[in-house]
Amino acid sequence: MITFEAKTRTFFLDGKGVTYAFFINHADFAEHLYFGKTIGHDDLSFTRASGSRSTIAKVPGHDDFSEEDGSYVQFPAELSFFGTGDYREPTLHLENQSGDRLTELLYAGYDLLPEKPPIPGMPSMTGGETLVLHLKDKVTGFAADLYYTVYDDADVIARHIVYKNEGAETVTLRRAYSFAMGLPQNDYQVLSLYGAWARERRIDKIPMHHGVISIDSKRTTSSAELNPFMALLSPDATEEFGEVYGVSLVYSSSFVLKAEGTIDGVTHLTGGINDFDFAWPLAAGETLATPEVVLAYSAEGLGGMSRAYHDAYREHLINPRYVKTPRPLLINNWEGTYFNFTNEKLMAIVDAVVGTGIDTFVLDDGWFGKRDDDSSGLGDWIVNEKKLPGGLKTIIDHVHSKGMNFGLWFEPEMINEDSDICRAHPEYVIRVDNRHPCYSRHQWMMDLTNPEVRDYIVTAVNKVLAENQIEYVKWDYNRNVTESFSKALSREEQLGFAHRYALGVYDLCERIVEANPGIFFEGCAGGGARFDPAMIHYFSQIWTSDDSDAEERTHIQYGTSIVYPLSTMSCHVSICPNHQTGRTTPFATRATIAHLGATGYELDTTTFTEEDKEAVKAQVADYHKMEKLVLEGDLYRIDNPMESNFFSEAIVSKDKTEAILVTYRRMASVNNQIKRVRMAGLDPEKRYEVAELGQTVSGAALMQIGLVPNWSGDFAAVEYHFKAID
Ligand code: GLA
């Protein structure tokens, strides 16, 4: 519910268990007051700080204001601007025609909408009641609409800003972020998710300090290096206790998020599209919409914040067509064959899993163009009949004859120099004339800022999908942009390249993913290098990492779950020694860890013994039993593998009648200390049948005392299943 208290000019935005409040102060500035647990609608002016700040620049034209009440830099901001006394990181920085960079965006009214309108050209949360706060510069006419949406089923607020040039002259936006918000302290721990190829989303935690903590990407993708996410933990916050604020950006291109500890002892948050290598001319009458930021609040530690995001994204962001439906349980041939396959080999891989319950076969890279290794063929989305005589039909018919579905790999945004499309249309490549574009994995990138290039890709990919009976697509993206430049853009538009590329990606997704509602789409980016909220809108699951080693996966999946629901993580059982780490882990462990996501297999199944096949059959049956929990349940992280020898996670149904606990010990030792794993998230009052113990136990005992798993050997996993009785 959104309320405006006219007397105090305060907006109260009440979500499920949270209140967000700001007011229009004496200078007409939108001043942030509060984000946290639900509170009433009192006059909150008593919460404002006072005290003399003699060296500050007063609000222009308000010399009558007392010293302690008179500067923009003092007001916790909903949007901060530059040039009039506010020296914090501005939300907006623009250049007017004269070359001056002043803006003063002040209150100009509001609207309440029953439903949030979509953000043009960009994915965003669906949502209900929305406040649009209008701010305007009286001198130039430049304006900003700040959107706020509340949710009655998740502890989050969705925000974005639409910048509008309502003046007479073109302005250049040098920075156009999505939000600003003040937090009352500056002693937080700032948590971010960093990584690299094959070790995505590790957890970093550093203390807030005086100055700016910034995380960003300059890669024209959200990146494996830093996820577009930041959490601020109060000093006493742990996994399940204490206050935590989350900032998650629904965006897939170069971004920045900043937390600034000011001299006042508070924290100023802002961010959005990265303003490095950015400028956006806005002619009179034009607007620029910014990506959505989803702000979460938890009084139940980091775990509570994660559950808030999981609820919000499952209910309002992930493609509703697939979000809660059982996922394809697939066998993918990549690690089984790499580029080296024939129709016969693929059919044998399929035959080997018939009867196990695996229901989908995915043909990975190498089926098209001249593609026998990664040096050629990308962009030529025409089947390689030399490799696959009879076209895709032979393998597709075979897969269907076994009652299974067929999936196919694409990398639509890419092009190899050695491809027919590159020879015919060298101008489709992102490059600068007279310079040799950087290779990465021997490939170049398509200029998605050019509509003609997007049309080519849409036509080529959709043709394959229309001419073949395909139920599943894996959409890959294996390198980052270099030479950010497009011949299709004017000089003034070049510095908007990274954002325009993102708009191009979303346009492709609309015209390929949304245009093929019968096909299930999985995202991928050389593993998990574009695992972000905008992508999970289109791809309800994403290949989490090219590292399929079970031990490494405990880290990657733990970190990914900080923001993203388990059901968004594609997790495969692969062969040992593992192709990435060379490590050998038990087959059962690999399955148990892969079951904490959208599970599948990725190995040469023709080597299966009867025993292996029986094991797979049992694993698939086990997965189906817990699948609803993976798709809809509440996640409780119990042991962090980055901090200990153990990894434990529980998933509990919303009604707390069913749960599963996965516990894992990395290294075995002898005569070791007793390790108890305290269950979490159960109803203490309920009694649970614990299949593995052969007895019923109260939720209270399971959570207070815990279980004592009997792991055997290294990399061992033990599972427990809980069912409430009566
Ligand atoms: C990327 C993906 C892999 C596989 C290969 C194919 O690395 O992450 O899963 O599809 O490309 O080239």
Side-chain angles (χ1 to χ4, degrees):
M1 200 179 53
I2 298 175
T3 319
F4 179 60
E5 299 285 345
K7 203 167 146 238
T8 55
R9 300 209 296 178
T10 306
F11 290 92
F12 288 99
L13 292 79
D14 293 302
K16 182 183 165 209
V18 292
T19 298
Y20 188 107
F22 64 91
F23 82 121
I24 307 304
N25 74 13
H26 51 280
D28 282 346
F29 182 90
E31 180 172 332
H32 182 80
L33 285 168
Y34 176 74
F35 180 39
K37 245 185 203 167
T38 302
I39 53 170
H41 292 183
D42 295 306
D43 177 353
L44 296 178
S45 55
F46 71 93
T47 65
R48 299 180 75 220
S50 60
S52 175
R53 311 249 199 290
S54 58
T55 57
I56 56 179
K58 287 183 167 191
V59 171
H62 286 277
D63 296 337
D64 48 334
F65 288 157
S66 64
E67 286 292 354
E68 65 264 31
D69 230 9
S71 175
Y72 288 135
V73 76
Q74 285 169 270
F75 310 143
E78 295 296 314
L79 179 154
S80 53
F81 41 80
F82 175 78
T84 44
D86 190 348
Y87 301 100
R88 295 170 297 189
E89 283 290 330
T91 314
L92 169 71
H93 185 212
L94 61 71
E95 192 179 330
N96 292 308
Q97 266 301 319
S98 73
D100 79 78
R101 276 98 51 227
L102 299 198
T103 25
E104 236 184 321
L105 287 176
L106 300 176
Y107 183 61
Y110 72 95
D111 284 306
L112 280 184
L113 309 178
E115 183 120 8
K116 177 165 71 89
I119 305 179
M122 271 183 284
S124 66
M125 301 249 291
T126 57
E129 216 187 339
T130 298
L131 165 70
V132 190
L133 179 76
H134 306 295
L135 305 180
K136 193 159 184 145
D137 185 302
K138 285 200 193 93
V139 176
T140 62
F142 190 82
D145 283 347
L146 279 60
Y147 286 73
Y148 298 81
T149 304
V150 294
Y151 294 89
D152 54 16
D153 53 3
D155 289 339
V156 302
I157 304 276
R159 290 187 56 181
H160 72 281
I161 298 176
V162 177
Y163 294 103
K164 306 193 294 188
N165 186 357
E166 294 177 354
E169 296 179 325
T170 297
V171 299
T172 302
L173 302 180
R174 303 198 157 274
R175 170 183 293 189
Y177 288 168
S178 296
F179 82 111
M181 181 171 76
L183 291 181
Q185 296 160 220
N186 74 353
D187 54 358
Y188 303 104
Q189 291 286 316
V190 180
L191 182 149
S192 57
L193 301 173
Y194 74 98
W197 173 76
R199 61 180 169 90
E200 294 87 345
R201 286 167 295 285
R202 300 297 211 255
I203 294 174
D204 219 354
K205 230 193 255 180
I206 55 165
M208 190 67 226
H209 61 75
H210 291 95
V212 180
I213 292 180
S214 165
I215 61 150
D216 81 335
S217 160
K218 300 182 188 71
R219 295 170 179 264
T220 318
T221 181
S222 47
S223 91
E225 283 67 19
L226 279 166
N227 201 257
F229 166 77
M230 188 184 256
L232 290 100
L233 286 71
S234 57
D236 57 351
T238 62
E239 181 61 26
E240 291 298 331
F241 300 98
E243 291 191 297
V244 176
Y245 304 88
V247 181
S248 168
L249 193 66
V250 187
Y251 196 47
S252 313
S253 191
S254 301
F255 71 91
V256 64
L257 293 174
K258 293 178 179 172
E260 180 173 6
T262 75
I263 45 128
D264 300 331
V266 298
T267 299
H268 171 70
L269 294 175
T270 193
I273 296 172
N274 200 337
D275 48 316
F276 170 77
D277 202 36
F278 173 84
W280 197 280
L282 215 55
E286 284 185 347
T287 62
L288 175 69
T290 59
E292 189 162 74
V293 64
V294 182
L295 304 170
Y297 169 79
S298 160
E300 290 167 6
L302 199 58
M305 184 213 67
S306 298
R307 290 186 288 279
Y309 279 121
H310 297 176
D311 285 343
Y313 288 168
R314 285 188 298 215
E315 296 302 326
H316 301 283
L317 187 62
I318 301 174
N319 195 330
R321 265 190 273 144
Y322 310 122
V323 64
K324 287 180 184 164
T325 49
R327 301 297 169 76
L329 209 156
L330 57 88
I331 170 71
N332 173 306
N333 72 306
W334 179 242
E335 284 199 23
T337 65
Y338 295 106
F339 291 103
N340 186 15
F341 55 80
T342 58
N343 266 328
E344 289 63 39
K345 178 71 182 179
L346 300 177
M347 288 193 269
I349 287 176
V350 173
D351 292 345
V353 300
V354 170
T356 58
I358 290 176
D359 56 37
T360 302
F361 169 73
V362 177
L363 174 54
D364 212 279
D365 195 356
W367 58 268
F368 51 90
K370 184 178 137 269
R371 182 86 172 160
D372 294 320
D373 55 37
D374 61 16
S375 67
S376 59
L378 287 171
D380 293 340
W381 302 112
I382 296 163
V383 66
N384 179 346
E385 295 232 12
K386 233 162 109 192
K387 199 163 176 181
L388 296 174
L392 289 171
K393 196 173 169 356
T394 313
I395 179 65
I396 291 181
D397 285 352
H398 186 78
V399 169
H400 287 155
S401 76
K402 302 294 173 191
M404 290 165 64
N405 288 328
F406 179 80
L408 196 60
W409 182 95
F410 287 91
E411 199 179 359
E413 298 154 72
M414 301 294 163
I415 187 164
N416 278 120
E417 185 177 17
D418 183 2
S419 67
D420 291 343
I421 187 64
C422 192
R423 281 181 283 273
H425 288 284
E427 76 281 9
Y428 283 9
V429 175
I430 297 176
R431 64 179 301 169
V432 172
D433 280 351
N434 303 324
R435 289 180 186 274
H436 200 279
C438 297
Y439 291 118
S440 177
R441 209 193 187 210
H442 308 292
Q443 67 202 52
W444 290 340
M445 292 186 66
M446 291 274 202
D447 179 7
L448 297 197
T449 70
N450 181 347
E452 187 189 321
V453 177
R454 298 201 299 272
D455 288 348
Y456 164 75
I457 296 170
V458 170
T459 308
V461 173
N462 278 345
K463 186 165 186 285
V464 178
L465 300 181
E467 288 176 354
N468 297 282
Q469 211 187 321
I470 292 170
E471 287 83 21
Y472 182 107
V473 164
K474 176 177 172 188
W475 179 315
D476 211 339
Y477 167 93
N478 275 310
R479 62 159 289 177
N480 297 155
V481 172
T482 47
E483 297 89 18
S484 310
F485 179 83
S486 168
K487 275 190 157 170
L489 297 176
S490 68
R491 179 165 182 215
E492 293 69 35
E493 289 168 331
Q494 296 297 343
L495 281 166
F497 183 92
H499 183 55
R500 291 175 203 277
Y501 186 90
L503 297 177
V505 174
Y506 302 145
D507 180 50
L508 285 191
C509 289
E510 290 293 332
R511 293 160 69 195
I512 297 176
V513 179
E514 295 300 306
N516 288 287
I519 299 177
F520 184 97
F521 282 82
E522 167 168 323
C524 180
R530 196 164 61 181
F531 206 124
D532 63 55
M535 286 290 104
I536 62 171
H537 173 75
Y538 295 110
F539 307 117
S540 31
Q541 67 190 52
I542 296 178
W543 180 227
T544 318
S545 175
D546 274 347
D547 193 339
S548 60
D549 171 66
E551 157 62 20
E552 290 290 296
R553 275 302 187 113
T554 62
H555 301 243
I556 295 166
Q557 293 172 207
Y558 189 101
T560 305
S561 79
I562 298 287
V563 187
Y564 305 97
L566 294 187
S567 60
T568 59
M569 293 182 223
S570 184
C571 306
H572 294 174
V573 177
S574 63
I575 203 70
C576 276
N578 179 270
H579 287 190
Q580 294 79 38
T581 60
R583 184 181 287 127
T584 295
T585 55
F587 196 29
T589 298
R590 279 176 267 157
T592 302
I593 301 303
H595 286 180
L596 292 166
T599 203
Y601 290 80
E602 182 162 339
L603 40 78
D604 183 356
T605 57
T606 61
T607 63
F608 274 175
T609 60
E610 263 318 299
E611 205 184 316
D612 291 335
K613 203 169 156 179
E614 281 309 307
V616 172
K617 197 171 165 183
Q619 290 164 3
V620 170
D622 280 348
Y623 182 72
H624 284 313
K625 282 190 218 140
M626 65 182 281
E627 191 167 13
K628 203 170 152 55
L629 286 173
V630 172
L631 293 173
E632 299 176 25
D634 283 332
L635 176 72
Y636 291 84
R637 290 178 296 259
I638 298 170
D639 285 303
N640 179 348
M642 288 164 256
E643 291 174 357
S644 73
N645 195 28
F646 304 95
F647 163 78
S648 309
E649 283 186 354
I651 325 173
V652 182
S653 64
K654 289 272 173 204
D655 63 4
K656 299 194 180 291
T657 58
E658 233 185 292
I660 182 163
L661 169 66
V662 170
T663 68
Y664 161 91
R665 180 182 66 183
R666 182 177 304 121
M667 300 311 285
S669 55
V670 180
N671 195 14
N672 41 286
Q673 294 179 344
I674 294 164
K675 167 68 182 169
R676 284 185 206 285
V677 181
R678 286 171 70 171
M679 189 48 190
L682 297 178
D683 179 345
E685 307 286 324
K686 281 191 166 54
R687 294 194 66 75
Y688 293 88
E689 212 169 68
V690 189
E692 290 72 13
L693 298 181
Q695 70 172 95
T696 63
V697 187
S698 72
L702 290 166
M703 293 193 291
Q704 290 304 320
I705 306 172
L707 294 138
V708 192
N710 189 15
W711 296 284
S712 162
D714 295 341
F715 313 115
V718 173
E719 284 181 42
Y720 296 91
H721 296 78
F722 310 87
K723 242 194 175 94
I725 51 172
D726 61 57

